[in-house]
Amino acid sequence: MKLTFKKLFSNVRIIIMLVFLLLSVAAIHPNFSADGVAIRTVVKNSSADLAGMGSPSPTSTPMSREVIEAINNMPIEDIEDYYDSISDIGPNQTITIKTNKKGGYYRLTTKPLIEKTQLNETEEKIVEEIYQVNETINGSTILVNKTRNVTITVPKYEKKIIGTQDLGLKVYNAPTTNIRKGLDLQGGTRVLLQPEESIDSDTMELLIDNMKQRLNIYGLSDIVVREAGDLSGNQYVVVEIAGASEDEVKDLIASQGKFDARIGNETVFRGGEKDITFVCRTPDCSGIDPSQGCGQIQTSEGNAWICKYRFQISLKPEAAQRQADVTTLLDVITIDEDGNPLPQNQHYLTKTIDFYLDDQQTDSLNIAASLKGRPSTEIVISGSGMGSTQQEAVAESLVSMKRMQTLIITGSLPVNLNIVKTDLLSPSLGEQFVKNALLVGILAILGVTLVVFIRYRKIQIAAPMIINMVSEVILMLGLASLIGWNLDLAAIAGIIIAVGTGVDDQIIIADETIRGEKAYTNWKERIKRAFFIIMGAYFTTVVAMIPLLGAGAGLLKGFAIITIMGVSFGVFVTRPAYAAMVEILLKE
Amino acid sequence: MEGESHEHKKKGMFKVISDYYNKNYKKLMIIPILLLVLAVIQIGFQTASTGSFVNKGIGLKGGISVSVPMEEYIDTDILQESLSQSFPENDINVRTLSSAGVLKGIIIEADIDVADSEKTERMISELASNLEHDDISSYSVEGIGSSLGESFFNEIIKAFIMAFLFMGLVIFLYFGEGWKEKTVVFTLTIIAESAIFFGNSIFAYSLAAIIIVSLLYLYFRYSIPSIAVIVAAFSDILITLAVVNLLGIRVSTAGIAAFLMIIGYSVDTDVLLTTRVIRDKVGSVVERVHNALKTGLTMNMTTLAAILIALIVTDSEVIKQIMTILLIGLFVDMINTWIQNVGILRYYLERKEAKRHSS
């Protein structure tokens, strides 16, 4: 007996499987007694934000998220506790929040909820206005910005405190493993949007495709976008997303995303594939601007950090030509603000190139004189992000850049959308699904092992099968945790296929080794023949899944990936280990 | 004495079936061929009369969505059960909407046509009586579109054709003979795949169709075992689809995954059979078939056990649908593998033997 165990654990293939198993369990990081609520996001400028609490990075693993353990020294076990404890807090009160992070002790001051009503009176206010005037300096005429104070009349408002502003924390029950659940297992954000004007069905189809593309490019693939309409003829679009914050969704899909670059009043190019051929998203030509970087500025709320980002895009030749047609009409400026002559390579044109997003200017750049009249297809887009610390400004800046890149790639939506309401939607598979699925899985494994035992009447063949089936499931869950894959129905189907073919392959191995006793005495020969069959079935299954990777629907892509990975794990890790186990046990 | 003759009777019956199976494989082939023909007829009829080759469930077809604002807790599972019983021909799904941890309402999705005002009104009144929430004016009803988009089915069919082309190639490389033939098949397959994937024109699709016909000819001429495996997987899907349609099952997005899973275990048993029959050196063809049958039936039985257990224990409608489709597919696969595929292989081998003897 002892000798058998020693042989088992010193076999290379079995050791490999054990190593993979340990890595998987480490990746899953289970902690079934986790209490508390984890922070999903922190709303900007809320009480929580001002107290120093931060949103987790979207790529961080579920088990590394910050978890709130106590509020005002009262322990919080789940979401109900959380909402109970914050429901009675009045405005301008201080509360303490303790989290599981090192030094995770925050003092929050609640803000009052203010209602502004417009009165019928008016009052006068003095504001600073910027205007432009032509001035002649040293012989050349240029536009100069000047400021002056102006008195304007504005309506008077009355402010009333009607309650406490939300703390600004979006929370959910603390996760127990690193396995991320997909939309159908966990539910998600449901946003109801209404187009600003009524659109026909072709435009609606285009709108939905555009929105899906935008969300996919941004990195959200677990989404459902459908059109809806109520009985009075109003049109809506319903979006369901897992794993994204409300703000992210609002910014991404509610804005029409009209990006255009203008010189003066002329639009030179727009976002979308008509004008843009390529948008850089790799670190070599996108990211925080190395020459401008980050700096501190003074705002009405104190010190803030601002970081500039830039990324390169390529224009179609027609768009580049349009730009050349406009710049050829401009004059060159050869002196700086103080009237001193500039070196040749710093000459620039009289107008700037301005970037607008949904008709709001995001940035403005000088055009180098060397580009006058020349069609240039390489353009650098820039913008900035702000935050209360440099780290926050960098993060904010990168998020803005990602959004800008997405909007330039996909172009504008055919119509502007308004958000009607946002809710948290419960999962379509029901809360009990996971528990029931686990029960089904365990019973199915036992049932299969029973059939195998009845067939072969040898425990040495049946027992390792249970170990293998369970191992394969753990390995796939471990891989899913490691790469951050959402476990949804497609993933579960893929796991079932992989384990199912695993059982089939193990039966093939078992049969070859037993019947081979009569025809071929060499063990290696028998295993080789078994694996010939197994590899044939493996390659055929894998190539059958490959076309699904390109299929449009997200459901099938996830299914194909999980199946391919699952059967690959099986063929290269667990089945060789099974063959080794059977060999060692049967030889005894 | 009684026991012995009983045993004899059992063994005798088994032998009778076994002998019939061995001798009359050609006659038995009628069963899978007939099933395939019937399946094609059913699918054709279904497409002609309903416009789609499958009964679409809610994810594929869209329906109505009723939102009810509520603040008291309600057991959505019980509500879903009760509504499903009142509307047995429809898929019903009940979910909750909440905001900041507070229940705001429930949303009921059903694959009822929004233009069907009679059924919609019946749904609303059923809901009202279930919820004891009489203020029907606060219910908002919307028609919702399908979540998969219009082009989904076209993409699925394209993906299936490409999958079968790839599968044929792998099987041909595995069991076919001759490097020249294998290279030709490889090149033709790649060209056809590119035409289907990248081309969106009639020209590209016609080119692909021509190549597919030539590939089928090549398979037939140079590797009958290859064509047997492909035909088996293909008939599995078609016959299962026809049965699913006849049973009135409304296929949801999960059901599509089930069809793909059928390919997985169909391939397993067919590759096993083909390897044992073609590449085993010992025993007659019949003996090799029997050996493959022993292994293969064990594989089928384990799959059957798992599917039955899942069907019995699960209380999720989604899993039930997947398992039902798999169950049908399993039985169809058993017929296609052990009667059709066996028949083709035996016919092919006997022809080869006859040619060898005559030359």
Side-chain angles (χ1 to χ4, degrees), chain A residues 308-329:
Chain A
K308 282 205 93 158
Y309 64 80
R310 94 268 175 270
F311 58 94
Q312 197 171 343
I313 65 171
S314 302
L315 296 178
K316 284 230 175 101
E318 301 89 45
Q321 187 57 45
R322 247 179 285 146
Q323 190 187 341
D325 293 338
V326 174
T327 57
T328 204
L329 304 170

Side-chain angles (χ1 to χ4, degrees), chain A residues 465-482:
Chain A
M465 281 211 191
I466 302 189
I467 301 177
N468 253 34
M469 282 190 265
V470 173
S471 308
E472 282 179 19
V473 175
I474 296 181
L475 283 178
M476 279 189 273
L477 290 178
L479 185 67
S481 308
L482 196 65

Side-chain angles (χ1 to χ4, degrees), chain A residues 58-243:
Chain A
T59 49
S60 62
T61 61
M63 292 305 273
S64 66
R65 301 281 167 103
E66 196 170 356
V67 171
I68 295 179
E69 292 173 341
I71 296 185
N72 284 342
N73 289 327
M74 297 251 294
I76 305 281
E77 300 221 337
D78 55 24
I79 273 212
E80 275 165 27
D81 281 354
Y82 174 78
Y83 283 114
D84 278 342
S85 72
I86 66 169
S87 57
D88 309 315
I89 305 178
N92 294 324
Q93 281 187 7
T94 308
I95 60 172
T96 59
I97 294 188
K98 181 174 177 315
T99 67
N100 65 345
K101 215 167 75 166
K102 209 163 117 178
Y105 194 77
Y106 305 92
R107 299 179 73 86
L108 275 79
T109 314
T110 55
K111 292 206 247 179
L113 196 59
I114 296 180
E115 185 185 66
K116 242 163 84 159
T117 41
Q118 186 172 349
L119 301 172
N120 272 333
E121 308 157 29
T122 60
E123 59 182 4
E124 293 188 344
K125 275 180 108 162
I126 301 181
V127 292
E128 212 179 67
E129 185 189 68
I130 300 176
Y131 66 99
Q132 292 179 330
V133 83
N134 271 336
E135 282 193 21
T136 318
I137 302 180
N138 285 352
S140 38
T141 312
I142 50 173
L143 277 174
V144 169
N145 286 342
K146 287 200 168 188
T147 64
R148 63 181 167 205
N149 286 342
V150 158
T151 315
I152 56 174
T153 319
V154 294
K156 214 169 169 191
Y157 287 93
E158 180 190 56
K159 294 188 192 173
K160 206 166 61 164
I161 296 182
I162 55 171
T164 320
Q165 225 181 62
D166 182 53
L167 288 183
L169 287 170
K170 306 277 187 225
V171 296
Y172 60 103
N173 277 324
T176 49
T177 66
N178 261 338
I179 303 174
R180 289 159 211 259
K181 298 201 207 151
L183 188 60
D184 35 11
L185 279 181
Q186 167 203 65
T189 313
R190 179 182 196 265
V191 185
L192 189 65
L193 303 135
Q194 189 171 25
E196 248 175 22
E197 39 185 63
S198 72
I199 55 180
D200 60 21
S201 63
D202 280 342
T203 317
M204 176 60 90
E205 221 182 292
L206 185 64
L207 175 66
I208 293 187
D209 275 342
N210 247 341
M211 287 170 74
K212 278 192 198 166
Q213 191 189 17
R214 208 185 263 192
L215 291 165
N216 279 332
I217 291 191
Y218 189 76
L220 301 167
S221 49
D222 203 358
I223 58 174
V224 173
V225 182
R226 300 182 284 189
E227 77 169 285
D230 69 12
L231 300 170
S232 8
N234 291 322
Q235 296 169 303
Y236 299 100
V237 177
V238 178
V239 178
E240 295 170 18
I241 305 187

Side-chain angles (χ1 to χ4, degrees), chain A residues 437-451:
Chain A
L438 271 173
L439 180 67
V440 169
I442 293 175
L443 287 179
I445 290 181
L446 288 176
V448 164
T449 317
L450 189 66
V451 171

